[in-house]
């Protein structure tokens, strides 16, 4: 796919916040989803009793290697759900509060201030409202702020907010703690697949792994039953840690043909595996589709941290996981090539990883 397609958005970008704050009682047509994709589609919601697994990482304090119970629980969660919530994760809770607070403040800034940091589809860094560059495509009811955290050399502070003043320092520290958390999970996943603790990180490029973050802001919506805050997608990268608003639910995870709403536990973090883990593990672990719904009464903020492989490293299923019963499912591709797809098409379910099945 030609990356020159990504120079600019196909039409002027309108922030969802500005539509929401205009007092409109009907949402523009572009945000209205096909009936089958709406949150209220018949048969689409699973029983309330279902929930993604909750895993206590405190048990890993003595080291990952000896903790069979946690390794087992995470492995089962990755096979059954692709998602789990972690508690006692070691991330500083004051920092968690602070990072939510600075980004809430950012989205409250006047639109002219935010627009100064407007993003382009080339790097996505900055303030934006759409994913994908296809003209006339359906749009989601959300704005976001995207930034790169690693490698340091591509971090562009010109694209970071200077207000609130503490935003940069808090976000960088949050990023460092997220990297630590993801490295713990990578160790657990390596062991659960029968490898040594450092195996998956090494496959991701070792010390050259990459990381980025998206702060999602979902304004109140006058017709939430017709739209989505973020359409169904699987995350293209390695691991995602989602810090979800614990006052307002919105994340839904696919389970079979139904959607299960995640009820965030205060203080917990939500972790899911992305497409690159699916590829490396030859689909032992699957990156599961998820989406966000919006509501009429409350706005919602979430912070997604993405732990990704070094972007110019070709990734393919590890040979130990290729067997006669399970032949190599995906061909090799770098993450740079891979993410051009979502950057062009926007969120589109699991069509991307499926399209790699070209053996
Ligand atoms: C994401 C994502 C869900 C949410 O940012 O990739 O899936 O609840 N977010 O905001
Ligand atoms: Ni996602």
């Amino acid at each position: 796919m030609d990356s020159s397609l990504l120079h600019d958005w196909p039409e002027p970008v309108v922030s969802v916040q500005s539509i929401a704050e205009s007092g409109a009682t009907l949402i523009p047509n572009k945000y209205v989803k096909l009936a089958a994709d709406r949150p209220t589609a018949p048969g689409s919601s699973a029983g309330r009793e279902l929930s993604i697994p909750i895993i206590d990482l405190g048990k890993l304090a003595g080291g990952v290697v000896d903790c069979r119970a946690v390794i087992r629980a995470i492995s089962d969660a990755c096979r059954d759900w692709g998602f789990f919530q972690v508690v006692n994760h070691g991330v500083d809770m004051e920092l968690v509060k602070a990072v939510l607070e600075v980004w809430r403040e950012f989205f409250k800034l006047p639109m002219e201030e935010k627009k100064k940091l407007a993003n382009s589809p080339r790097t996505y860094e900055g303030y934006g409202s759409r994913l994908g560059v296809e003209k006339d495509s359906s749009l989601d009811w959300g704005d976001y702020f995207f930034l790169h955290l690693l490698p340091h050399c591509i971090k562009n502070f010109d694209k970071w907010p200077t207000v609130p003043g503490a935003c940069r320092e808090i976000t960088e520290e949050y990023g460092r703690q997220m990297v630590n958390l993801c490295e713990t999970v990578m160790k657990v996943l390596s062991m659960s697949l029968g490898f040594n603790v450092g195996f998956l990180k090494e496959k991701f490029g070792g010390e050259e792994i990459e990381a980025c973050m998206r702060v999602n802001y979902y304004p109140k919506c006058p017709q939430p039953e017709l739209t989505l805050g973020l359409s169904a997608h699987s995350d293209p990268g390695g691991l995602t840690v989602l810090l979800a608003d614990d006052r307002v639910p919105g994340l839904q995870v696919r389970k079979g043909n139904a959607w299960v709403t995640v009820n965030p536990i205060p203080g917990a973090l939500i972790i899911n595996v992305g497409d690159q883990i699916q590829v490396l593990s030859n689909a032992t672990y699957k990156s599961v589709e998820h989406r966000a719904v919006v509501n009429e009464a409350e706005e919602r903020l979430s912070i997604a941290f993405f732990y990704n492989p070094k972007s110019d490293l070709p990734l393919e299923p590890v040979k130990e996981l290729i067997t006669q019963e399970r032949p190599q499912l995906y061909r090799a591709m770098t993450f740079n090539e891979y993410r051009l797809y979502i950057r062009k098409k926007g969120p589109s379910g699991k069509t991307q990883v499926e399209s790699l099945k070209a053996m």
Side-chain angles (χ1 to χ4, degrees):
M1 201 179 288
D2 181 1
S3 60
S4 66
L5 291 169
L6 297 178
H7 277 313
D8 213 348
W9 303 114
E11 50 220 340
V13 175
V14 179
S15 80
V16 175
Q17 186 174 11
S18 63
I19 305 173
E21 289 176 359
S22 74
T25 52
L26 300 176
I27 63 174
N29 262 336
K30 283 182 175 216
Y31 296 88
V32 175
K33 303 293 171 191
L34 296 173
D37 295 335
R38 293 179 194 163
T40 45
S44 76
S45 75
R48 288 188 160 271
E49 66 283 2
L50 280 181
S51 63
I52 62 172
I54 298 165
I55 295 173
D56 181 353
L57 290 188
K59 297 187 180 136
L60 291 176
V64 170
V65 179
D66 295 324
C67 216
R68 290 276 143 205
V70 173
I71 294 173
R72 187 62 204 259
I74 290 183
S75 169
D76 288 350
C78 289
R79 282 170 214 263
D80 299 344
W81 288 90
F83 268 81
F84 50 98
Q85 298 204 58
V86 291
V87 295
N88 294 319
H89 41 61
V91 177
D92 178 357
M93 287 314 297
E94 288 302 312
L95 181 65
V96 164
K97 255 202 264 165
V99 76
L100 286 170
E101 193 51 43
V102 288
W103 285 101
R104 281 208 174 94
E105 287 303 313
F106 172 78
F107 283 99
K108 281 187 202 147
L109 292 176
M111 194 52 72
E112 318 85 79
E113 287 303 312
K114 291 185 292 231
K115 286 267 160 159
K116 286 182 190 158
L117 298 170
N119 71 347
S120 97
R122 214 164 43 75
T123 67
Y124 266 92
E125 282 170 294
Y127 179 60
S129 294
R130 67 182 286 156
L131 298 163
V133 291
E134 289 188 336
K135 198 165 182 316
D136 300 324
S137 62
S138 158
L139 299 179
D140 289 340
W141 194 261
D143 301 327
Y144 63 86
F145 199 97
F146 183 85
L147 44 84
H148 289 296
L149 290 161
L150 287 175
H152 292 294
C153 61
I154 62 162
K155 199 159 36 174
N156 181 1
F157 286 123
D158 292 344
K159 280 284 181 187
W160 287 43
T162 47
V163 182
C167 180
R168 174 168 158 177
E169 194 187 330
I170 289 171
T171 302
E172 285 205 288
E173 178 56 21
Y174 183 74
R176 279 190 285 274
Q177 297 207 11
M178 286 296 108
V179 171
N180 289 340
L181 174 61
C182 287
E183 301 208 322
T184 302
V185 176
M186 290 290 273
K187 288 180 187 170
V188 171
L189 293 181
S190 299
M191 297 212 45
S192 72
L193 291 168
F195 301 112
N196 64 48
V197 278
F199 185 83
L200 285 178
K201 181 175 172 190
E202 213 42 55
K203 290 281 175 199
F204 266 35
E207 293 312 307
E208 296 181 280
I209 63 100
E210 304 196 0
C212 52
M213 204 171 103
R214 189 171 61 226
V215 185
N216 298 296
Y217 174 74
Y218 306 104
K220 290 179 200 171
C221 178
Q223 294 180 297
E225 66 289 353
L226 298 183
T227 190
L228 291 167
L230 185 55
S231 288
H233 65 284
S234 61
D235 292 340
L239 289 176
T240 304
V241 183
L242 187 77
L243 170 56
D245 197 315
D246 61 21
R247 299 174 298 198
V248 191
L251 174 66
Q252 296 187 326
V253 175
R254 186 188 276 288
K255 185 74 175 158
N257 289 325
W259 292 98
V260 172
T261 300
V262 175
N263 284 313
I265 304 171
L269 293 163
I270 299 163
I271 300 186
N272 65 286
V273 299
D275 294 344
Q276 304 307 310
I277 298 276
Q278 174 165 335
V279 169
L280 272 184
S281 74
N282 206 25
T284 307
Y285 296 143
K286 295 200 180 60
S287 68
V288 168
E289 261 183 283
H290 52 285
R291 66 183 189 182
V293 296
V294 291
N295 73 87
E296 206 171 346
E298 311 238 35
E299 58 185 34
R300 175 171 175 264
L301 188 97
S302 72
I303 301 182
F305 171 86
F306 303 106
Y307 180 93
N308 294 331
K310 180 171 178 345
S311 53
D312 58 1
L313 204 64
L315 248 70
E316 63 185 339
V318 299
K319 62 179 186 316
E320 291 84 346
L321 298 173
I322 300 168
T323 59
Q324 219 153 29
E325 299 77 64
R326 190 192 278 268
Q328 179 171 351
L329 288 173
Y330 311 104
R331 64 189 167 86
M333 194 184 266
T334 67
F335 186 50
N336 270 338
E337 284 174 84
Y338 191 87
R339 69 179 156 195
L340 279 180
Y341 185 101
I342 195 166
R343 290 192 171 182
K344 179 159 177 283
K345 293 206 174 286
S348 28
K350 287 212 61 162
T351 53
Q352 181 178 19
V353 70
E354 298 305 329
S355 75
L356 261 183
K357 283 189 176 163
M359 300 294 299

